[in-house]
Amino acid sequence: SQQGEEDPQALSIQEGENATMNCSYKTSINNLQWYRQNSGRGLVHLILIRSNEREKHSGRLRVTLDTSKKSSSLLITASRAADTASYFCAPLNDMRFGAGTRLTVKP
Amino acid sequence: EAGVAQSPRYKIIEKRQSVAFWCNPISGHATLYWYQQILGQGPKLLIQFQNNGVVDDSQLPKDRFSAERLKGVDSTLKIQPAKLEDSAVYLCASSLGHKPNYGYTFGSGTRLTVV
């Protein structure tokens, strides 16, 4: 069974818009990570947020973490066509993924 | 730094045949995972190694799947005999394992088609 579970399953936006996707997990965590997967490729590590952090930024990425709700969100600002991919979350101490959020950014 | 290497990149076999996949993690990475990713789904964890010991293989179909990591470096995943439902991409990932700032590095995967 998966540990990280992403929502929504699919998201379609126009280039330049912001994209927000959510992650829920089941057990206590130490750190939570987000990954991107382009079609036909392996997963690429995007960002890790520690359990004592509430928000973290990396370029156009903003991640929040609410340990009381066991949830996290990933915001991609000013999206580009190259951001089209599937996005997954997983706790660092339990590397089981959900089905992911499939993001499509239309040019 | 070299990435996680996997081979072969593609493999087509007939059902009931055997197949093996190979993974060479980043040098010094103690933790290694194998995943199965069926088209349209998220990666499913099959097995986790810490050095050459198995940490978690609870989702590995042990009647047909086996994996080993000799000397705590390279790893092989074998399927014997293969079924049609084994068609998937098999991903390998590695990490130093104990540093909280590091995520995991994934290989490009082996795409298996069972016909």
Side-chain angles (χ1 to χ4, degrees), chain A:
Chain A
S1 62
Q2 67 267 26
Q3 170 65 288
E5 198 162 328
E6 300 82 6
D7 173 70
Q9 289 188 350
L11 182 60
S12 182
I13 60 175
Q14 294 294 133
E15 207 166 29
E17 294 180 339
N18 295 341
T20 300
M21 54 204 84
N22 304 297
C23 165
S24 60
Y25 53 91
K26 297 175 181 175
T27 60
S28 298
I29 63 167
N30 49 14
N31 304 297
L32 188 97
Q33 47 192 336
W34 284 88
Y35 288 84
R36 182 188 74 232
Q37 184 179 35
N38 292 91
S39 181
R41 310 289 293 178
L43 279 71
V44 174
H45 182 254
L46 291 177
I47 193 168
L48 182 149
I49 184 166
R50 299 186 185 190
S51 57
N52 62 355
E53 296 177 313
R54 290 298 168 259
E55 188 171 310
K56 191 168 184 177
H57 296 254
S58 177
R60 294 183 298 111
L61 304 180
R62 172 177 166 256
V63 172
T64 63
L65 182 65
D66 187 335
T67 54
S68 65
K69 295 181 180 178
K70 292 188 170 60
S71 67
S72 173
S73 68
L74 171 66
L75 168 68
I76 304 174
T77 60
S79 63
R80 305 166 182 169
D83 295 327
T84 294
S86 292
Y87 292 81
F88 299 91
C89 68
L92 190 65
N93 59 332
D94 193 344
M95 286 282 289
R96 289 176 287 164
F97 297 97
T101 292
R102 173 69 188 169
L103 174 66
T104 303
V105 181
K106 301 175 183 177

Side-chain angles (χ1 to χ4, degrees), chain B residues 13-18 81-86 113-115:
Chain B
I13 62 172
E14 295 183 349
K15 59 184 179 183
R16 291 187 289 274
Q17 285 188 323
S18 301
K83 294 184 176 181
L84 296 176
E85 59 260 36
D86 298 331
T113 302
V114 183
V115 297

Side-chain angles (χ1 to χ4, degrees), chain B residues 32-93:
Chain B
L32 186 147
Y33 291 94
W34 281 102
Y35 290 88
Q36 177 194 61
Q37 187 173 25
I38 294 172
L39 185 65
Q41 298 182 16
K44 174 189 172 184
L45 175 63
L46 292 177
I47 189 167
Q48 177 190 354
F49 290 96
Q50 185 69 22
N51 295 307
N52 61 345
V54 175
V55 174
D56 181 3
D57 64 357
S58 57
Q59 297 192 91
L60 186 72
K62 299 181 187 62
D63 58 333
R64 298 185 300 107
F65 286 65
S66 64
E68 61 181 7
R69 191 181 184 197
L70 299 177
K71 300 180 182 178
V73 182
D74 293 3
S75 178
T76 55
L77 176 69
K78 297 179 182 178
I79 307 175
Q80 180 179 4
K83 294 184 176 181
L84 296 176
E85 59 260 36
D86 298 331
S87 293
V89 175
Y90 291 84
L91 296 166
C92 177

